[in-house]
Amino acid sequence: LEYSNKLEAQSAELSRTARQLREANEKLTQLSVQKDSFLSQVSHELRTPMTSIRAFSEILRDTHDLKKEEMRRYASVIHDEALRLTRLLNDLLDLSVLESGQVSLNMREGRLAEVLDHAVSAALAGSTQRLQVIRRSEGEALQLCSDLDRLAQVFINLIANADKYCDAAAPQLTIAVRSGGGVLTIDFIDNGSGIPAEAQSMVFEKFARVSAEKAGGAGLGLAICREIMERLGGSITYLNGRRGGAFRVTLPVQGVALAAQ
Ligand code: ADP
């Protein structure tokens, strides 16, 4: 009897190991599929600017009677596309550092209002339209202890997106700060057409783009924001049920203290 009990235990152990192996194998296959699809998306994103750079540089090299104005136009296409490539590579690098978990945070104290002021001016520095930014700011006087540069990076991304996707006739963004229930909440709500319900869950994925015609970027910005907020112990979500684009950033209140007045 003892022998048969032992055998039964061993057989249970074996089938458990077999199941674990099967699961590990499935996970590996899934990761390999994800890696392939990531590589093919990256190659696709690199190919478009590379093709323009090649074509326009060939024209510049091979056409001898180009007018000055044409030369300038082609050179500036090459320049813009090179900038796009640089942005893409920087974003990919940033994302891979964040995803590897090996990012070192630079925690320091500062006022939320100052982080927001800086983000608004940085995000709108190169913008040609006059985005009206409305601040509802009960919680702005709060003193934070966080990686304020990373936090500003998230805000800059959200404000630049609002600037890009808001109503061009009367561009407007509301930034509302609240604190309560152990959480600091910062909402970014613009008056554009927002993100359709069926696309809301995928906008934080890499290479997600909803409205192709307006997107200048590669769809990495929000994926980077999500990684940063996770590293900072907070979150970023899309608020459905709003008319325009609506994003909510949260931070745990442990990192926040009331400002000494
Ligand atoms: P991108 O750099 O291409 O803008 P993001 O990751 O920042 O990439 O955004 C992903 C997609 O989400 C955008 O291409 C756009 O379709 C959509 N999106 C982001 N912000 C807004 C917004 N405020 N209003 C409407 N759509 C938005």
Side-chain angles (χ1 to χ4, degrees), residues 157-158 161-162 164-165 190 193-195 203 205 208-211 215-223 245-247:
N157 229 304
L158 293 176
N161 275 352
K164 203 161 21 161
Y165 299 107
D190 66 54
S193 47
I195 296 177
V203 288
E205 302 295 328
R209 269 178 296 211
V210 186
S211 47
L220 292 173
L222 289 174
F247 291 86

Side-chain angles (χ1 to χ4, degrees), residues 70-85:
E70 283 173 317
M71 275 168 75
R72 215 193 333 265
R73 208 172 62 235
Y74 298 155
S76 95
V77 173
I78 294 173
H79 185 249
D80 289 349
E81 294 299 298
L83 282 182
R84 192 143 82 105
L85 276 176

Side-chain angles (χ1 to χ4, degrees), residues 178-243:
R178 256 174 306 112
S179 78
V183 186
L184 177 68
T185 307
I186 308 137
D187 290 344
F188 296 81
I189 299 178
D190 66 54
N191 66 343
S193 47
I195 296 177
E198 65 279 9
Q200 286 168 9
S201 60
M202 65 83 154
V203 288
F204 297 101
E205 302 295 328
K206 285 178 274 221
F207 303 109
R209 269 178 296 211
V210 186
S211 47
E213 75 281 7
K214 265 200 181 177
L220 292 173
L222 289 174
I224 293 175
C225 289
R226 186 176 61 177
E227 288 294 330
I228 294 177
M229 290 318 300
E230 273 173 19
R231 293 290 167 277
L232 296 183
S235 68
I236 178 166
T237 47
Y238 191 79
L239 295 171
N240 55 6
R242 302 284 180 139
R243 192 104 70 72

Side-chain angles (χ1 to χ4, degrees), residues 116-136:
L116 281 169
D117 288 345
H118 162 70
V120 170
S121 33
L124 304 179
S127 172
T128 47
Q129 66 179 352
R130 299 185 66 82
L131 179 72
Q132 188 195 1
V133 181
I134 300 164
R135 301 260 286 260
R136 297 200 199 294

Side-chain angles (χ1 to χ4, degrees), residues 27-94:
K27 184 85 200 154
L28 270 178
T29 316
Q30 198 188 344
L31 282 174
S32 156
V33 169
Q34 277 173 7
K35 190 173 126 246
D36 288 350
S37 112
F38 177 72
L39 280 179
S40 85
Q41 278 166 317
V42 171
S43 332
H44 176 77
E45 292 299 330
L46 291 174
R47 193 168 299 130
T48 321
M50 287 302 232
T51 307
S52 310
I53 290 175
R54 220 177 55 209
F56 284 99
S57 59
E58 273 167 18
I59 300 177
L60 283 176
R61 186 192 60 193
D62 300 338
T63 322
H64 300 293
D65 52 354
L66 278 177
K67 295 198 186 84
K68 243 199 168 125
E69 184 43 44
E70 283 173 317
M71 275 168 75
R72 215 193 333 265
R73 208 172 62 235
Y74 298 155
S76 95
V77 173
I78 294 173
H79 185 249
D80 289 349
E81 294 299 298
L83 282 182
R84 192 143 82 105
L85 276 176
T86 312
R87 260 199 315 269
L88 175 63
L89 291 176
N90 284 340
D91 281 356
L92 281 170
L93 207 62
D94 203 16

